[in-house]
Amino acid sequence: MPAALVRYDLDARGVATITLDDPATRNALSDRLLDELIGRLGQARADGSVRVVVLTSSDDRVFSSGGNLKAFANDTPTVEKYVGLDRFPRIYRLLGQLGKPSICAAGGDVLAGAFGLALACDLIIAREGVRFGCPEINVGVFPFMISALIYRSVPRARANELMMTGSLISAAEAERLHLVNAVVPGEQFAAEVDRWAGLIASRSPLLMRMGKNALDATRDQPLDAALAHLQGQLALAFATEDIKEGVAAFREKREPRWSGR
């Protein structure tokens, strides 16, 4: 059996760490790596003990170099390439429908298709010095699959600049554009990612799942439809034991004890 390209670890807090681990290719998003990533995300979604997912890389220089360029130019029939490209939207949808928050720990450059992968996560923590962008156009490829995610995250003119020039932006610029939640010095990066993960894992997993699902369901809905859906979800939340426990713990000045009901 070949070594896994994606590692999975779950700690006692409910933090599931999914690590891209193919340094020989700079974590290129090959079909095999994407299939393993889909499997691990599905595992995290199905496991009720998982409270937050951290997506990271074993390579401190690059989170991922993006799509496998060799596969783009090989002789595989076009229809097979089309079918295989379904892996990208499946992963983006999986992250949206995970039922628990996801953090992209960008400890290295986040390029091309991996930029879309990061934007599909709920939160991004970046190490100082890393770069983000979609340089595909430099080798004759347009970032088709991730353009929808970029347009939903980056102001239009800047999004066009990134996709049409292939230029990269620094972590500091990504923070100014509100693409990342925090930029952290290298020596503090691992500890800060762990702090964010632990903080989120300490929240009610039930209410977090309900909230995450509501965000995914209403993200692209018209305002009236979104408000109607959210009203129903809030009414359901009022019926949970966790919301009662959270209010009681606040009043009693103690840590809440979540039951997940």
Side-chain angles (χ1 to χ4, degrees), residues 169-193:
I169 59 174
S170 66
E173 174 66 9
E175 186 175 33
R176 284 193 291 271
L177 290 170
H178 304 293
L179 298 182
V180 305
N181 298 87
V183 178
V184 187
E187 65 275 12
Q188 301 170 19
F189 178 69
E192 186 66 1
V193 170

Side-chain angles (χ1 to χ4, degrees), residues 111-112 115 132-137 143 146 150 162-163 165-168:
L111 306 174
F115 190 25
F132 296 80
C134 35
E136 296 95 316
I137 198 66
I146 65 173
I150 294 173
L162 288 171
M163 292 186 285
T165 69
S167 60
L168 305 181

Side-chain angles (χ1 to χ4, degrees), residues 57-70:
S57 164
S58 63
D59 190 330
D60 59 6
R61 297 164 303 167
V62 61
F63 174 79
S64 168
S65 58
N68 186 349
L69 293 179
K70 290 181 180 179

Side-chain angles (χ1 to χ4, degrees), residues 1-7 19 21-23 30 32-33 36 40:
M1 289 288 292
L5 302 182
V6 178
R7 293 190 279 106
T19 305
D21 190 19
D22 189 16
S30 63
R32 182 182 154 208
L33 185 145
E36 290 188 23
R40 292 307 194 178

